[in-house]
Amino acid sequence: MIRAILLVLSLAVAGGIHAASDPELPPLPDVVRDADGGIENCAERLVRLPKERAAAKALIFGWNKAQHAAGNTGALVPTLRELYGPGVETTIYGSGWSLPDTETVYGELHWQELGVRGFDLRRHPVYPRLSLLLVPAGQEQLAARIQGFANAAWQEDGHAQPIWIPADDTVVDEALSFGGAFSNLGRSSGLANMTLGNYIMIGIGLLLYWLAIVKGFEPLLLITIATGCIFVNAGGAGMGNAPTADSAGGLLWYFFDGGIETGIFPLLIFLGVGALTDFGPLLANPWSAILGAAAQFGIFGSFFLAVVGWTLFYGDTMTPMQILREAGAIAIIGGADGPTSIYTAARLAPDLLGAIAVAAYSYMALVPVIQPPVMRALTNEDERKIMMQQAKPVSKRARIVFPIVTTGLCILLLPDAVPLVGMLMFGNILRECGVADRLSKAAQNELINLVTIALGLSVGMKMSSDKFLDGKTLMILLLGVVAFVIGTAVGVLFGKLMCRMTGGKVNPLIGSAGVSAVPMAARVSQNEGAKWNRRNFLLMHAMGPNVAGVIGSAVAAGILISLLAK
């Protein structure tokens, strides 16, 4: 360990020495404007700008435009066109960029047109983090005004910390010296760029690791979500940054934009779930679909609660349609279906996607904790001991016809649910047809595993501190618990009703499996029944309402999207 630390320090020192003595660094042009806006030679000084090139460029554009509007032509930042003269083909310090034929003072300037030494340095491999603006020596007031403008504009954009301001005697050579190289390294480190909120979110990511690894709660999703959360809150890493004209963008942004914004990842997950799901228990006991539908009361119950809560707290700042959309996105948590929650939130309330996804998957993992107290409170000992008869076998023809008919009905009655229901049934056809085993196995294994990694990282990207740490997140977590409790309770109550109607042949405990946390909710029903009657085997009976709940939550999502997204 000590050797490794010494090696890293040696490399850092070597890099600093190389930075201080780089023979390839070209000389600086000496530029200043005279009173008439002409250019004269003079030494230059520094003004600090954000390290993000696009942000720095936007500040310079804003300054030039404001000064031009005020008639202060002597305060404009010069372009390289002005530095080297029109018609001169000049390559910018070995970057491969040449000056264009047009001359522009302000507005939509190309990056390479700005006569800013700091921008040029960013293209230099030795100085990847410098962002400096050169201001003529002898014009300290101009430098101070530009710095003040940059700080004010930077803070107006929501950045709490001002841009670093160098001392009055700071010159270019100091920034490129041995100490300057390490000074810039320190300012570009995570410690210098992370806020308290970032640290809190990284702590939440570590908590998700603990729940997944130590407690075994939905590890496939929680580990990847936690990793995405930590990545996006790593100050300066830029893994969640959108691409710009001068930056390729971060990895997580591409995952989110290509998979979540388009809805592809949740749909591919549903394809894999369909290939893994056996609808036989539902087909053997069609009446169990009623229990699956009953559990969806959790979605619509929490929807009305969310509407009331959002109207009370945010009614002054949100339109009624915005309130309804966010309430619809939150309510789908009650279906206990992570992909459906993500798919719906991406269409109704993208800004809440991180909190909704974390709540949905966290509560899915906590089904063994949340459901049993509700199940015991609503049933008596005799009901929990009821043994159910073994279901009849289901023919292969029925297994193949079911997904086809279900998709057809969805197309005719609720087209907005076709993406979710259709992909679920497509995966099930691959499983049941018997002639596409390779595709079925690929959907069950490689496809769903790869998409799960990308999906989790994408969800974690929405857990940045500026979006996640607010009052809405706490309310979403609270409403998620309420939705699960309502769904479980209504499912059990319908189970009791069916028990009465059948003369005691239905164990009410299987009603709780109507939430679509497959197969965990069915296992909870099995475990609770076995506690009161060791000979009781409710798993396959509970799988009927469980898989019906998957379809029910997809249909409920289609209804909400149909009503609110258009």
Side-chain angles (χ1 to χ4, degrees):
M1 176 65 72
I2 296 176
R3 291 181 180 179
I5 294 173
L6 291 175
L7 176 61
V8 171
L9 291 176
S10 300
L11 292 174
V13 171
I17 294 174
H18 178 67
S21 59
D22 179 23
E24 301 296 330
L25 194 64
L28 298 171
D30 297 331
V31 176
V32 69
R33 291 176 180 274
D34 59 24
D36 298 326
I39 297 177
E40 297 178 353
N41 290 334
C42 186
E44 295 173 310
R45 293 190 180 277
L46 296 178
V47 169
R48 278 287 167 181
L49 294 172
K51 66 185 178 187
E52 296 84 0
R53 287 181 293 168
K57 184 170 66 172
L59 291 176
I60 297 304
F61 290 166
W63 169 264
N64 277 352
K65 190 170 183 178
Q67 298 308 313
H68 189 277
N72 299 327
T73 57
L76 295 178
V77 176
T79 66
L80 288 175
R81 172 68 53 184
E82 294 172 293
L83 297 182
Y84 294 101
V88 179
E89 191 72 6
T90 305
T91 300
I92 302 177
Y93 300 132
S95 68
W97 286 343
S98 298
L99 290 175
D101 294 330
T102 58
E103 180 175 352
T104 309
V105 176
Y106 76 95
E108 295 299 326
L109 292 174
H110 292 289
W111 181 259
Q112 58 266 41
E113 288 184 288
L114 286 173
V116 180
R117 173 67 177 179
F119 296 152
D120 301 337
L121 287 177
R122 283 189 56 84
R123 305 298 295 179
H124 197 283
V126 180
Y127 310 108
R129 291 293 184 183
L130 292 179
S131 51
L132 316 172
L133 171 65
L134 305 184
V135 177
Q139 293 198 19
E140 286 77 9
Q141 292 183 352
L142 173 61
R145 289 201 302 272
I146 296 176
Q147 186 71 71
F149 174 86
N151 280 340
W154 192 239
Q155 291 179 335
E156 285 177 3
D157 287 340
H159 300 274
Q161 297 298 324
I163 303 168
W164 179 76
I165 305 176
D168 291 340
D169 59 349
T170 302
V171 294
V172 173
D173 289 339
E174 178 180 330
L176 304 183
S177 66
F178 180 84
F182 275 92
S183 177
N184 282 291
L185 178 63
R187 282 189 292 274
S188 65
S189 68
L191 293 174
N193 287 279
M194 289 173 61
T195 64
L196 176 61
N198 293 136
Y199 287 110
I200 293 174
M201 292 308 302
I202 289 176
I204 292 175
L206 296 176
L207 174 62
L208 295 179
Y209 273 148
W210 181 79
L211 290 173
I213 298 171
V214 178
K215 294 299 183 180
F217 292 161
E218 289 289 334
L220 299 183
L221 260 300
L222 290 190
I223 287 176
T224 53
I225 290 174
T227 302
C229 173
I230 292 173
F231 282 170
V232 79
N233 286 284
M239 293 191 70
N241 290 352
T244 65
D246 309 296
S247 174
L251 173 67
L252 300 186
W253 183 89
Y254 286 101
F255 278 154
F256 183 85
D257 184 68
I260 302 297
E261 289 281 2
T262 60
I264 291 176
F265 287 166
L267 298 180
L268 291 179
I269 291 288
F270 254 54
L271 170 61
V273 171
L276 289 166
T277 301
D278 179 9
F279 285 108
L282 174 61
L283 297 174
N285 293 311
W287 51 263
S288 62
I290 298 175
L291 300 179
Q296 306 314 309
F297 273 86
I299 293 176
F300 295 101
S302 57
F303 171 75
F304 290 110
L305 291 176
V307 169
V308 173
W310 256 236
T311 301
L312 290 175
F313 289 96
Y314 306 107
D316 295 336
T317 58
M318 297 175 63
T319 66
M321 183 53 70
Q322 288 175 327
I323 291 174
L324 291 174
R325 286 173 179 165
E326 292 198 358
I330 295 167
I332 209 68
I333 298 173
D337 192 334
T340 302
S341 298
I342 293 172
Y343 183 84
T344 307
R347 274 145 186 75
L348 298 182
D351 290 341
L352 303 182
L353 192 148
I356 289 172
V358 171
Y361 280 109
S362 298
Y363 292 141
M364 283 174 62
L366 293 174
V367 161
V369 177
I370 297 173
Q371 284 195 324
V374 180
M375 298 161 69
R376 294 174 200 144
L378 297 177
T379 58
N380 56 50
E381 183 175 345
D382 291 336
E383 290 171 335
R384 294 193 286 269
K385 289 182 177 180
I386 294 174
M387 295 182 63
M388 297 181 64
Q389 296 180 354
Q390 184 175 357
K392 298 179 181 179
V394 180
S395 67
K396 182 177 180 179
R397 177 180 297 177
R399 292 174 180 270
I400 295 174
V401 170
F402 174 73
I404 297 174
V405 172
T406 302
T407 304
L409 291 174
C410 193
I411 292 172
L412 295 175
L413 302 177
L414 190 60
D416 284 295
V418 169
L420 289 169
V421 176
M423 291 299 285
L424 179 72
M425 295 304 160
F426 170 49
N428 193 248
I429 291 174
L430 294 178
R431 170 193 175 94
E432 302 295 352
C433 69
V435 295
D437 289 343
R438 288 174 56 188
L439 298 181
S440 177
K441 291 178 180 178
Q444 295 177 35
N445 296 287
E446 294 84 1
L447 176 64
I448 198 169
N449 289 336
L450 290 172
V451 176
T452 295
I453 293 173
L455 176 69
L457 291 174
S458 302
V459 171
M461 195 204 80
K462 300 300 289 185
M463 295 177 66
S464 58
S465 59
D466 57 332
K467 293 183 175 65
F468 196 87
L469 296 177
D470 58 21
K472 283 187 178 181
T473 299
L474 296 177
M475 293 180 67
I476 288 170
L477 295 175
L478 177 61
L479 287 170
V481 174
V482 172
F484 264 66
V485 171
I486 293 175
T488 300
V490 176
V492 173
L493 291 175
F494 267 75
K496 288 173 67 74
L497 178 61
M498 296 188 72
C499 179
R500 298 280 180 88
M501 294 176 62
T502 59
K505 294 181 179 180
V506 174
N507 190 316
L509 293 177
I510 68 172
S512 65
V515 297
S516 57
V518 179
M520 190 174 295
R523 291 198 192 113
V524 172
S525 298
Q526 162 65 28
N527 293 337
E528 283 299 306
K531 287 180 182 179
W532 300 93
N533 184 347
R534 293 183 178 179
R535 296 180 300 165
N536 218 347
F537 190 76
L538 299 176
L539 182 61
M540 295 310 296
H541 299 286
M543 283 300 297
N546 205 187
V547 297
V550 177
I551 302 173
S553 63
V555 171
I559 293 173
L560 291 173
I561 292 172
S562 177
L563 294 175
L564 303 176
K566 297 178 180 178

